[in-house]
Each structure stands twice: as C-alpha cells, then as structure tokens.
Amino acid sequence: MGAPTGATAVGPHATAAEGGRRVRVVLVDDHRMFRTGVQAEIGETERTGVEVVGEAADVDQAVTVITATRPEVVLLDVHLPGGGGVEVLRRCAPLMADARQPVRFLALSVSDAAEDVIGVIRGGARGYVTKTITGTDLVDSIFRVQDGDAVFSPRLAGFVLDAFASTDAPPVDEDLDRLTQREREVLRLIARGYAYKEIAKQLFISVKTVESHVSAVLRKLQLSNRHELTRWATARRLV
C-alpha cells in the first residue's frame, strides 16, 4: 500500500499473530478493488492475526454487516454512498457503546482533510490513517484500536488536537457545502497539481468520471478553470 504516512510506529502488537492474538475486522469501502487489496495485505490470519469477517460497499451494507458480525474493529472509509462514514458511525453508536463487546472504528481513507478527520472522530472513530499506510503498520493500528488506543498520523493528530482544544465551532463554508464528498476529494487533488489520470488511479475511478467531477465543481463554484480552482482551494487552506 505504499509508504507509511505516520501511523503509530509498529510496536508490541507487530508480533500479535505469533502470540496467538486475533482480531475480527470488517472492511467498509465502496471500491471493490481496494477491499480486495486490503484483504490480501492483512487477511492472512495465521500471519497477521487479523480475520476479515465481512465487507461492505455502502452505508446500509455496512450497518447490516457490522450488526450481524459484531467485529472488534471496523476499517471505515470516510466517503461512502448513503451518507458517508459519519452516518455509519451514527447508526452504529449503540454497538460502540456496548461496554461488554464494543465495536471500534478506524478510519482508512484517501482523504487527509481536516474536516474529514474531525468529522469521523467526533462521530466516535478511535483513529484515522490514510490509504498509503503499509500493511504492517495497518495491522499494528488495528490491534491498537482493539485495545482502545487512539491511532493517528502526527499531522492528522494535530487536526484533532486543534479542533478539540477550541471551544469555537468551525465556520460554515456555504460554497464548500455545495460540493459532494467525492467532489471535494477531486478538488483537493486537482489543487495539489495531480493530473486526471493520477486522480483516477488514486480514487479508483475512471478518467471520464474525474472530468465529470471537475466540471461539476467548476460549475458549482462558478470558476472557469483548474487554475482558479487551485487558488480557491488554497485560499481556504484545503490543499
């Protein structure tokens, strides 16, 4: 899955499988190819200690599978059809609150935007790592979340500390609120200088779909080209 982005360093749980520890996990992500890749990376139970007991591609599926399997940890994408990761957390709140057998959530997303991180943490997730994390670090993060620890990359942890240290609610950006979660992802990647093909590969969508999202963003924000879009995103510190 590429180089780690600063998730908690591999520690005592790295040898959890050797010590006989097991953790039951559900994968929630709307990209089948990504779920298959994660399953291949972490799902060899005898080696990693991770047993993948279910998968889901949208909010309704996620709630159904999580309720039926009661895993220790859910790997949750932030942007999902049906309301996103925050909606899954809202509907699974009773499972998270079960003192006897709590279901804990670890966000695993391509997005490293502050509002995404803060949103799922406020919703009850125990941590947030990006999809460039290594398989080894992801396994370690899963076991740490199972133990009740909070797991973030240093940069993402800073977002959370800043948000919860402030008593002021974040300002509402009406322009940004017009965009869907997927359009925001495309917006950030465009503003960072990614080509359409690179964005398509990063988000597991087609180049044509990227073009459609860019057109929608430009129309909603009343901008003319990607250069204006980049300036708009930079001014709002979205890059």
Side-chain angles (χ1 to χ4, degrees):
M1 289 185 216
T5 57
T8 305
V10 177
H13 297 311
T15 57
E18 297 174 10
R21 286 198 62 186
R22 294 288 186 270
V23 57
R24 299 168 69 255
V25 172
V26 165
L27 305 178
V28 180
D29 193 287
D30 61 335
H31 297 110
R32 182 181 57 80
M33 289 179 62
F34 181 76
R35 296 198 309 272
T36 300
V38 173
Q39 170 78 274
E41 189 77 22
I42 71 173
E44 295 180 14
T45 308
E46 293 305 312
R47 175 177 62 86
T48 64
V50 175
E51 179 187 1
V52 178
V53 297
E55 298 182 15
D58 60 33
V59 169
D60 288 340
Q61 288 180 16
V63 174
T64 298
V65 171
I66 293 165
T67 302
T69 60
R70 296 297 293 263
E72 282 89 26
V73 177
V74 177
L75 289 180
L76 180 68
D77 193 10
V78 174
H79 302 143
L80 295 166
V86 171
E87 178 64 12
V88 175
L89 291 164
R90 186 187 69 79
R91 290 168 61 178
C92 290
L95 301 180
M96 288 189 281
D98 185 341
R100 190 168 49 86
Q101 189 184 352
V103 176
R104 295 188 168 103
F105 287 79
L106 173 61
L108 176 63
S109 177
V110 68
S111 171
D112 60 359
E115 63 265 29
D116 288 336
V117 179
I118 295 165
V120 295
I121 298 307
R122 288 192 187 279
R126 295 294 305 173
Y128 195 117
V129 293
T130 60
K131 289 182 176 180
T132 50
I133 191 172
T134 64
T136 300
D137 279 352
L138 181 56
V139 169
D140 183 63
S141 297
I142 290 169
F143 276 103
R144 291 184 182 279
V145 167
Q146 181 193 25
D147 285 343
D149 293 342
V151 181
F152 303 92
S153 69
R155 178 169 178 264
L156 303 188
F159 292 156
V160 177
L161 289 172
D162 289 345
F164 285 90
S166 173
T167 57
D168 298 326
V172 174
D173 189 324
E174 293 183 1
D175 290 332
L176 189 61
D177 284 348
R178 293 191 185 100
L179 306 183
T180 66
Q181 292 289 353
R182 180 63 83 194
E183 288 167 354
R184 294 186 194 191
E185 287 181 328
V186 172
L187 163 66
R188 292 187 189 94
L189 293 173
I190 284 287
R192 291 171 185 170
Y194 284 75
Y196 285 5
K197 286 184 179 179
E198 294 172 322
I199 296 172
K201 183 177 180 181
Q202 182 107 346
L203 299 181
F204 298 94
I205 58 179
S206 69
V207 173
K208 186 174 181 180
T209 300
V210 174
E211 292 172 349
S212 297
H213 285 315
V214 172
S215 296
V217 170
L218 292 174
R219 183 181 69 255
K220 290 179 179 180
L221 300 180
Q222 299 183 352
L223 301 174
S224 301
N225 53 55
R226 65 181 297 163
H227 300 296
E228 290 184 1
L229 188 152
T230 299
R231 288 198 296 271
W232 187 93
T234 302
R236 285 162 175 78
R237 299 182 179 179
L238 299 176
V239 181

